[in-house]
Amino acid sequence: QVQLVQSGAEVKKPGASVKVSCKASGYTFTSYGISWVRQAPGQGLEWMGWISAYNGNTNYAQKLQGRVTMTTDTSTSTAYMELRSLRSDDTAVYYCASSDDAFDIWGQGTMVTVSS
Amino acid sequence: SYELTQPSSVSVSPGQTARITCSGDVLAKKYARWFQQKPGQAPVLVIYKDSERPSGIPERFSGSSSGTTVTLTISGAQVEDEADYYCYSAADNNQVFGGGTKLTVL
């Protein structure tokens, strides 16, 4: 079936980096872009950025520019999101999502905890 | 940057009509999407292109648009509709979510 499966939970120390993966199946990976969205505990959804799975073009939220990198591997239909220089306020559930009009699928979420 | 403003909470009794608004200048030019999120779950798309309903979403969910405001309407709200609802839009190279509205049905 159509799905996005994300990597498991991570615990990182402040200043470290984290890389979350998102593997697509059940559809043509290069037909849709992948967005990354995060949600801090008890807070709302925050859009982080988007990458075209077709040509790798990216668009990042201004507040994360310089700390985030999104990539794709079309050979494995997998998207990646790397966040560097982690701070405590980066603690959140990170989601990948692929959407276009009515086509809308989300990963199950990856909890990233930043704590010393 | 763009901003979308939603009420923090809306409360209705079962069977009543719930209306959740979302306001922002970008909505005058771009479509909105609405997502439903229940605790511990990923968001689910309930409305796209302001008023289109994906397959599998109950007919009681509808959307409308007027100027810089979009509205999600749940006609005859059910207890299972209790959730957080987020509007979303994209313009140029920016995408943004509203702050979310907690819908209580009791």
Side-chain angles (χ1 to χ4, degrees):
Chain A
Q1 70 277 28
V2 176
Q3 62 180 354
L4 295 173
V5 178
Q6 298 183 221
S7 48
E10 302 262 14
V11 179
K12 297 291 183 181
K13 293 192 181 303
S17 299
V18 69
K19 192 169 186 177
V20 179
S21 68
C22 170
K23 183 172 177 58
S25 61
Y27 72 97
T28 302
F29 180 66
T30 52
S31 293
Y32 304 96
I34 296 285
S35 294
W36 289 89
V37 175
R38 68 181 181 178
Q39 187 170 36
Q43 301 301 307
L45 302 174
E46 179 187 10
W47 178 76
M48 300 178 66
W50 173 89
I51 181 167
S52 167
Y54 175 73
N55 59 18
N57 287 348
T58 55
N59 179 23
Y60 301 138
Q62 190 171 6
K63 70 175 286 187
L64 295 174
Q65 289 271 6
R67 286 207 301 140
V68 68
T69 301
M70 297 174 187
T71 57
T72 59
D73 181 345
T74 56
S75 69
T76 59
S77 298
T78 302
Y80 298 92
M81 186 283 300
E82 181 180 33
L83 189 61
R84 301 176 292 279
S85 302
L86 290 168
R87 309 186 291 245
S88 58
D89 62 357
D90 291 317
T91 294
V93 175
Y94 288 74
Y95 293 102
C96 60
S98 184
S99 61
D100 183 27
D101 285 346
F103 180 80
D104 189 82
I105 55 171
W106 291 65
Q108 82 276 19
T110 296
M111 182 70 211
V112 175
T113 302
V114 183
S115 173
S116 55
Chain B
S1 63
Y2 302 97
E3 288 188 359
L4 298 176
T5 301
Q6 302 178 230
S8 58
S9 64
V10 169
S11 183
V12 297
S13 298
Q16 289 188 328
T17 295
R19 293 183 179 86
I20 300 172
T21 59
C22 173
S23 300
D25 290 342
V26 66
L27 299 176
K29 302 173 291 187
K30 298 294 182 180
Y31 287 123
R33 298 159 75 91
W34 286 95
F35 293 91
Q36 175 195 69
Q37 187 182 35
K38 296 182 178 180
Q41 298 182 18
V44 172
L45 181 69
V46 294
I47 294 289
Y48 67 101
K49 282 189 174 178
D50 290 347
S51 60
E52 300 293 323
R53 191 174 54 249
S55 61
I57 300 301
E59 290 185 8
R60 62 181 180 273
F61 288 87
S62 64
S64 61
S65 175
S66 178
T68 59
T69 299
V70 294
T71 302
L72 173 68
T73 300
I74 307 172
S75 303
Q78 305 295 309
V79 172
E80 60 263 32
D81 299 331
E82 186 164 292
D84 294 325
Y85 290 85
Y86 296 90
C87 60
Y88 160 93
S89 189
D92 300 325
N93 290 325
N94 289 300
Q95 303 180 33
V96 64
F97 287 94
T101 298
K102 181 175 181 57
L103 174 65
T104 301
V105 183
L106 55 77

